[in-house]
Amino acid sequence: MKSYILPEFLIDRDDYRCIRCEVCVRQCAFDAHWYDEEDDEVRVDEDKCAGCLRCVTFCPTNALIVRRNPNQIPENANWTNEVLHNIYKQAETGGVLLTGMGCDKDYPIYWDRIVLDASQVTNPSIDPLREPMELRTYLGAKPDALEIGRKKGKSSVLTKISPQLRLETPIMFSALSYGAISYNVCESLARAASEFGTYYNTGEGGLHRDLYQYGDHTICQVASGRFGVHADYLEAAAALEIKIGQGAKPGIGGHLPGEKVSAEISHTRMIPEGTDALSPAPHHDIYSIEDLAQLIYALKEATHWEKPVSVKIAAVHNSAAIASGMVRAGADIIALDGIRGGTGAAPTMIRDNVGIPIELALASVDTRLREEGIRNRASIVVAGGIRSAADVVKAVALGADAVYIGTAALVALGCHVCQKCYTGKCNWGIATQDPYLTKRLNPEIGTRRLVNLLTGWSHEIMEILGGMGINAIESLRGNRLRLRGVGLSEEELRILGIRHAGA
Amino acid sequence: MAIYDYAIVGNSAAAINACDAIRARDAVGSIAIFSEEKYRCYSRPLISYLVAGEITTQGMYYRPSNYYRSAKVDFHKESRVVSINPAKKMLTTAGKEKVKWRKLLLATGFLPFVPPVNGVEETDYLTFVSWDDARRMLALTNKPAAALVVGAGLIGVKAAEALHARGAEVTVVEKMDRVLPLALDARASALVEERCSAKGIGIITGESVSGVESRGGHKGRAFLSDGSEIDFDILVMAVGVRPRTELAEAAGIDCRRGIEVDEYQSTSEMDIYAAGDAAIALDVVLGKPALNALWPVAALQGKYAGLNMAGDEVSYPGCNSMNSVEFFGLPVLSAGIVNPEGSDYEVITREDGDGEYRKVVVKGDTLVGMLMAGKIERAGILTSLIQERANVKRIKSCLLDEGFGLINFPHAIRQDRIVEALAGLKKADAVRGRRG
Amino acid sequence: MIRIVPKEEFCIGCRLCEIHCIVEHSKSKNIVKAYKKENRPIKRVEVEEEGHVSFALQCRHCEEAPCITACLSGAMQRDAESGAVINDPERCVGCWTCILVCPYGAVRRDEAERKVVGKCDLCPDLETPACVANCPNEALVIVED
Amino acid sequence: MLRGIRFPDDKDFSGCSIFGMMNVRGEKFNGEDMITAIANMKDRSNGLGGGFAAYGIYPQYADLYCFQMMYDDEGARKESEEFLEASFEIETAEIIPTRACEGVRESPLLWRYFMQPRQKVTCELEDVESFIVSVVMDINRKIDGAFVFSSGKDMGVFKGVGFPEDIGRFFRLEEYEGYSWVAHGRFPTNTQAWWGGAHPFNILDWSVVHNGEISSYGINKRYLEMYGYVCTLFTDTEVVAYAVDLLVRRHGLSVEDMAKVLAAPLWDEIDRMPAEGKQLHTALRQTYGSILMNGPFSIIISNRNQMIGLTDRIRLRPLVAGRSGDIRYISSEEAPMHLIDDNVEDTWIPRGGEPIIAELENIARPAAVEENLLSLSGADS
């Protein structure tokens, strides 16, 4: 069938600069470039270009420009190019549209409509280069009150504090499963988390045996497929996370195609090599809140009550009520994943249309838990579109204890957000299991890049805190007075629990 | 009477590399080098480059001009050693100088072998093994001349090429049926012959010179075995070379075709070592001692002789017949057995046109020979496999592939070579030495 | 001395090492000029590739370097200061004996100017050799011993 | 003056003078010296607020709760009194005596009530004090134009809009005898001054005077709200009073541990502590991180037994301690101590986050406090 889909991108090659070194040819797993020996020319097959810019980045002479194909249908606000493209594709294949990464629709990004406060005159801002500035964060249930005994003039804690995760910065690496991403990405995340003093999350891919050494900084997920879940796995973790939902695909399961299930992945996930790894939409042992409570306690029991248990849900309309139930069901950490949360593969329609922005979910959950007086019983971690230190600060001020970063971490590792993760041909060696591609990510470099990112963001958070005259992150957490909205409606302000700038 | 810790007879590859090795281990021991020539150490194989004008006389020297001084060596030039006395550890030079030694190295090299052809002694023929030979050739080719080269071995062909470069009209006569019959195989010989012919050099193979008639000085006429005659202005006799063993033999040192040495390059006499073209030492491919009158082999033997003389106990790893030559822009590299005889050998060849010809010879799972003509890059990888007697079972089929390299080695071996064995060649040598 | 160690598990086969080696050893040291206008020098590092495995290899600067022993002209010598095995192109006659004996295949013919061999010289003008500095994945690393 | 000027979620930015004076033997003295001392730091206030708290001033009603109230009008008073009568036996209701004073204008109606909760009401409650707190919260929140500005026993708060010395004279403080006093001169940058917003802030017998700005106010307030404290006064100082009440009265923390919550040691310091201290302070920060008072402050927290001085962790606001026989001083500046007392023996500046505690000598006290008392009596703190 003749395809009506136009190439998404065009590749311009500056012949003056091109030295025929073929770096682009070798770097493109989609085979968009090829060398024509007969004419000594490098040629392109633009239909195949994913727009990942690997070739552009690696071209030693900057001879390449990848640009959006200017051949567009006449401007139409309703029938956009994207809509047409999708329809052509489905008319040609009869399939469900697949995509990767997070929702790219232009729903309001509330982070960008919230501004931060700073000290002027009446209180001094603090210079983080000269004064201590504390980002340490503990995740886990906190008691309502501390019982303190006194003996011989010394106080000692009588209350048994629930297990806590200690973070040196309120940023963790989101759930990214081995299978969706390569081993080298997992190793980079694990090492960076260990080095910086934070945590990464295994996602539902199990934990490769070589990564057990980073267990102290690993949150092991228990998802609906139960892939790779066994006693040693639970034992290795610093914390466990029951994954109910994911921001990119609330309400649906996951699917790792069999071709990605290599020997190592098969071993790690405990499924036969080459078979599809299908995560059911629900946990088939959780059909109600009390079932969740049972699993939470089962996991706590299995790990001798030594590890906090997190429950992750996609941010949906009644997140606040759900979260309240989760806290009462014994979750130590509530992880909320907003509509912009990423994925290795999701149906486009789901990704782009199901769920709510994380900012609103966070605000309503935090408010609700406070209204119920149970906010201290669980930490809130938010995910789904945290792009910068400013987003982190705003999330913390809205009420989050910490954030998960997924896409941002992958971008630090080279991801160019081309959204072709589901093809398995990630030219940046991230969302792939092809050994030719996975080695493109050297975990030494990956670790360094991630640690640098955390270092940079942490410094920025400290700067912002210092500017507010605050020297400990807990004084920002839930401190919505330091936020103001810009261009937001009354209703949005009310939900966010902040006032409009100027007021 | 002078007493040297180390006395070295000879001043070429073996001698100098021995001297370097000694100095690396022993900074103070006294060293004497005796050379019958007047030159500082020069590179004998470069005489053809000198004649052809590719290098200047300055380029002939193997070491910088301050070499002997900086290495603290007493250099006795134009001082031919005429006898050695192993019992007294003493040598005598042609100038009646007597010198005692503690360790002696015989690096006496070779002499050209001139067969007893009728009339040849009456003719002022040239050989082509020394700088003086080159000077004579240069003088004789100052004006147009017809040159006849007898023998198409390495020396003969290089002489022919040099003469051609000097403008001479050259004819080469070879008794065997092709040029370079020992170093190359038939296909490579043909490639060389093609090049030579294209340049106007006459190649006559399968014929020998049965007699020479002098016409005064250098001029003369040669009679070939098929009855034809060739007039020449210059006659170059390049039939072969013979190791110089007369000094050793006279001193009662065991010699067969060359001076016999053990794995430490030590002769049958205590504290007397031999190395280089005069010595017959292990050929790893043949698995027995052999004469390999080749510069790199001489240098390696000299080095091991020097190390052992200075007190190390290291085995000479052995060598093989390695040749690197270039004729009229056609480089040809070979190592080990290139003309296998018998059915235990497997021969794989590959030809890519335009003089690009490659070949490997495998016996069982061992690579025993290789030849590369035209395209020679990375030949050393094959040489090293030959040298190491490596098992090539798994890579046999790709030895001649484009891009063959360490990538084709098993991972562990490759890793060991590249990463672990950065400084390990010596280690590998020692292992091989023990085995040999 | 410094040595360059290839990490084959991270070599991505992009050959930027080869490209930058060529540029560094070119007259202009300008990549476009070196490739398009000048007599392009040979690469002194070579990426070997088979399937998904690849690595870049250049002269190992062996402690017991066979090329030095085998060199007919004395052009191949160890640099006393850096410890590197360096070929002196003034003295090299292009006899290819070093090519014959190098177990790594790390010496190549370089006939851009005259007939000599070329090999890795560890980029004496640079703080870090060009291949290492330009490897995008740190598949070439420097070790010092 | 109490109506319509409150900004929800707002707080008051102020720089200020604070002064505390306590006789640890419980000997009483009148308010004269306090007025002199606070007036000495006049440039730290701007006439938009001043106030005092005094302990031991109502010995005749020592067992009764004294609610001191501000009313905008009689209507508010009526409503409040009806509300109070529902749950309290009111022994005495009287107008707080004042004198006309230049510099003090537009005062609200000022009343005080000595009373105790009715048996019926308190029977239902395990904890009378929590009931009192809830009554205060209810009046302040629900009755428009009425405001409880002091609710302890045998103590009272006197505050209003004006320079503190004028307020002192207005309330005729020379007529009151107490053993422990605190005073406050206010410099709000918020021009909207109102009587209720002056310091001290009080709940039960906790009084807080404060110089500084609590940058963490937003979260401190939200945390306290979870425990039923309704911040009605819209100033950050209020949260200090409630935090102290929560920690010490309700959660039973020692004053010292309470101080370590408000001005927590840095994690670096905690990490270097021996195991027990590390565990304690880690738990305190983990549990009470939301009422860490962040930002510049120096405060004096008083109750019937103690006077506690504290600065923020990195000491961004001034605080000086002094000693003169049985008298203990805590002040923004040193000069006022010398002005009113020729016998000040030693003075020192406490470290950031280190509480200094003056305490009545004749009361039973937890041993933990001893060390701090000792350190207060020495000059090495």
Side-chain angles (χ1 to χ4, degrees), chain B residues 170-234:
Chain B
V170 186
T171 306
V172 181
V173 177
E174 167 58 48
K175 191 169 67 182
M176 308 284 275
D177 62 352
R178 53 191 176 88
V179 299
L180 294 160
L182 297 177
L184 307 185
D185 70 350
R187 179 68 189 120
S189 293
L191 288 170
V192 173
E193 283 171 27
E194 274 170 32
R195 296 278 172 134
C196 290
S197 303
K199 293 287 177 181
I201 293 175
I203 305 275
I204 300 167
T205 55
E207 302 295 337
S208 57
V209 174
S210 54
V212 176
E213 182 185 295
S214 171
R215 298 201 169 165
H218 297 277
K219 291 178 191 291
R221 169 174 294 174
F223 303 99
L224 305 193
S225 47
D226 68 347
S228 57
E229 299 169 4
I230 300 171
D231 289 341
F232 57 80
D233 301 315
I234 302 166

Side-chain angles (χ1 to χ4, degrees), chain B residues 5-6 27 59 64 74 79 140 155 162 182 189 224 250 265 272 294 329 337-338 344 362 411 420:
Chain B
D5 293 314
Y6 310 95
D74 282 350
S79 183
L140 289 173
I155 295 173
L182 297 177
S189 293
L224 305 193
Q265 298 294 133
I272 299 179
L294 301 160
I337 300 168
V338 293
D344 347 339
V362 183
H411 177 80
E420 316 297 337

Side-chain angles (χ1 to χ4, degrees), chain A residues 342-370:
Chain A
T343 176
T348 312
M349 291 304 128
I350 302 278
R351 188 195 74 171
D352 290 350
N353 297 286
V354 183
I356 65 171
I358 191 61
E359 302 90 325
L360 302 177
L362 164 62
S364 61
V365 168
D366 177 70
T367 302
R368 176 67 169 266
L369 295 184
R370 285 182 191 283

Side-chain angles (χ1 to χ4, degrees), chain A residues 15-16 439-440 442 448, chain C residues 9 11 36 52 137-138:
Chain A
D15 188 56
Y16 170 73
K439 63 180 177 173
R440 292 182 177 186
N442 178 342
R448 218 178 307 143
Chain C
E9 64 274 38
C11 174
K36 299 191 130 178
H52 66 263
N137 207 33
E138 292 177 17

